[in-house]
Amino acid sequence: MESNGDLERQVESTAAQLDYEHLDELKRGRQTHRKRWRDRARWPGLDEIPYPIAHFLGHRTPETSGKPLLPGLSYLPTILEQSLIQWIGVFAGLSFIMILFSHWDIIDNRINGPLSGQTPIVIGSFGASSVIVYGAPNSPFARPRSFFGGQLLSALVGICITKLFALSSHYNVQDPESYSSLVWVAGGVATATAVIAMMLTKTVHPPGGATALLAATSPPVVRLSWSYLAVVLISCLMMKGWALFWLNLGSGRFPDYWWSDSKQNDSVSPSAPVSPPPQETTHKDSLTRQWTGRSEATLGPQDMQEKDTRGQALRTLSCPALKSLVS
């Protein structure tokens, strides 16, 4: 026959186990709530879009998470799959842009557009953008907000700075090696201003610095004037559109977030704070230790009521009346 001490320990162990199960249930509920807010960060309403479309916007379901859409990729090692996806992504993404602008004269002449005869085959900064977008798709610099915002904002800053320097007779982009040339000053000012603008708007995209620099120092780009914004926008749409399609055919997901990361959204989400992981213990103070790891200010009304109820239950375990009932 079991002793009173053994029965008391069994009761205490059962209470502690119930407490762990309760905390795990709360934790799972809070994780589900936070995940809903993280999905909103990727794109508000993404889960309401029909799934074949939402898949290419970065949304995943439990059934498709980590599974490639292209047949055969699942048989390749992860490093080989990533290398293949990245190589084809960079090659095709830049090729589409260069094919379009190498034949832009034909298109532009038919619509009497402003870019005829002077559009470069590609803006050099997009070579660096392709490294970030396809080589490091989960980087904050590759997110649509940073990519579009950084490139377009830098192009706008570069054009404005160039227009200001063009008011001086010493600014001659055709003769940058002249002793009195201000081209090098315009390039430095444009790049530095673009960096500050990206930092203030939280749209940092490192190749944007080159976009601003080219607007002040490259003769073909300077001749584009305000049309430079259209060239950058078209290039951004083509590169990002191809990335959304191609990178989501593999086992990965792109983009990871559309606007901002989960930490920023968790700070403003109404979800309750996460309790610390339960300590491995089997004695009757387990629940008390769980709650003392959190400050009173972080507990909601329901948590405070649950704390008082379970705390009273644990105190009851050690009272003489319970011991007499157990015996």
Side-chain angles (χ1 to χ4, degrees), residues 138-271:
N138 293 329
S139 169
F141 304 136
R143 293 171 185 166
R145 173 184 178 178
S146 300
F147 179 71
F148 282 98
Q151 286 284 12
L152 292 174
L153 186 60
S154 298
L156 178 61
V157 169
I159 295 172
C160 292
I161 297 297
T162 303
K163 292 294 184 181
L164 291 176
F165 275 87
L167 299 176
S168 172
S169 59
H170 295 288
Y171 177 78
N172 184 5
V173 72
Q174 300 294 339
D175 187 20
E177 298 180 358
S178 172
Y179 178 78
S180 60
S181 176
L182 293 179
V183 174
W184 64 273
V185 180
V189 172
T191 305
T193 307
V195 170
I196 297 301
M198 288 188 290
M199 294 290 292
L200 293 177
T201 57
K202 297 182 180 180
T203 57
V204 177
H205 185 66
T211 302
L213 181 63
L214 291 172
T217 60
S218 175
V221 175
V222 172
R223 285 196 298 269
L224 288 176
S225 186
W226 295 107
S227 300
Y228 186 41
L229 284 173
V231 175
V232 172
L233 177 60
I234 294 173
S235 301
C236 286
L237 291 173
M238 294 187 66
M239 179 169 287
K240 186 60 66 172
W242 170 247
L244 289 173
F245 172 76
W246 180 249
L247 295 181
N248 283 304
L249 290 179
S251 59
R253 178 183 63 199
F254 179 79
D256 191 17
Y257 293 98
W258 278 80
W259 191 254
S260 59
D261 56 22
S262 60
K263 294 181 180 179
Q264 295 173 340
N265 286 278
D266 286 343
S267 62
V268 297
S269 67
S271 58

Side-chain angles (χ1 to χ4, degrees), residues 29-43:
R30 290 166 183 167
Q31 288 176 344
T32 302
H33 193 63
R34 289 199 309 276
K35 183 179 183 298
R36 189 180 302 116
W37 277 84
R38 288 196 298 269
D39 288 340
R40 291 179 183 178
R42 295 190 178 104
W43 192 10

Side-chain angles (χ1 to χ4, degrees), residues 36-57:
R36 189 180 302 116
W37 277 84
R38 288 196 298 269
D39 288 340
R40 291 179 183 178
R42 295 190 178 104
W43 192 10
L46 194 62
D47 53 350
E48 300 177 1
I49 299 177
Y51 183 72
I53 300 176
H55 181 90
F56 293 99
L57 298 177

